[in-house]
Amino acid sequence: MNDDLRLYLAEEGADAERLDLLTGQVRDQIGLLDVDDVRRLTSAEAPPAGARAIDVGAVGALLVMLGNSATGLKEVVSVVRGWLGHGDGTRRTVRLELGGDVLEISEASEAEQQRLIELFVRRHEP
C-alpha cells in the first residue's frame, strides 16, 4: 500500500476552536502509529462542497501518508472508530478517502460501523 488517506472529521455544533482541538487529538494519536506521516489539510485541499455531506467550514482534515505498512490503515481506522464512539451523544461524522474510494460514517450502529470499515479496509489490503 502506498496511498495517502484523507480523513475528514466533523462534530455537530462544534466551533472552529473545538474542531481544531479534536483534529489535533486525532492527529497526535495517528502520529504514534505505523504511518509515514500525518499532517493537517488546509481548507483549499478539502473536496468541493458538493462532493460530501460534511460542511467544508466545519471540518477538521488530515492527510495520512500510510507508506508501505500493512497495518497502518487498520490502526488509523481503529483510532477513527474510537473517536466516533467518544462523542458523548454528540453526532460525529468521519469521511475517509483512499485511492478514489470513499467511506463516510455518521449515524451508524457499532455493528454497522464495524461492517463498513472492514469492507473498506479489505478493499485496500495489499
Side-chain angles (χ1 to χ4, degrees):
M1 169 170 311
N2 200 8
D3 286 315
D4 296 337
L5 173 69
R6 290 175 179 260
L7 178 60
Y8 302 96
L9 310 168
E11 182 180 77
E12 188 172 69
D15 61 13
E17 186 176 328
R18 170 96 175 138
L19 280 170
D20 187 55
L21 174 71
L22 293 171
T23 304
Q25 290 172 347
V26 172
R27 183 190 177 281
D28 290 347
Q29 290 176 9
I30 292 173
L32 298 172
L33 304 177
D34 186 18
V35 298
D36 283 356
D37 195 20
V38 58
R39 69 172 178 85
R40 291 178 187 254
L41 289 171
T42 66
S43 57
E45 295 173 293
R52 57 191 170 81
I54 299 175
D55 176 13
V56 172
V59 167
L62 297 170
L63 179 66
V64 182
M65 282 133 280
L66 296 169
N68 293 316
S69 170
T71 60
L73 179 59
K74 289 179 184 179
E75 292 174 343
V76 170
V77 167
S78 179
V79 168
V80 168
R81 286 196 70 213
W83 182 81
L84 280 169
H86 289 95
D88 296 325
T90 303
R91 181 177 168 216
R92 288 182 167 181
T93 302
V94 66
R95 179 182 171 99
L96 301 126
E97 296 180 2
L98 180 62
D101 194 10
V102 176
L103 173 63
E104 187 167 322
I105 299 175
S106 182
E107 297 179 291
S109 70
E110 279 287 316
E112 290 170 327
Q113 284 181 28
Q114 180 68 30
R115 185 181 62 77
L116 292 169
I117 288 171
E118 284 176 1
L119 288 171
F120 184 81
V121 169
R122 204 173 303 135
R123 283 194 302 261
H124 296 283
E125 287 179 331

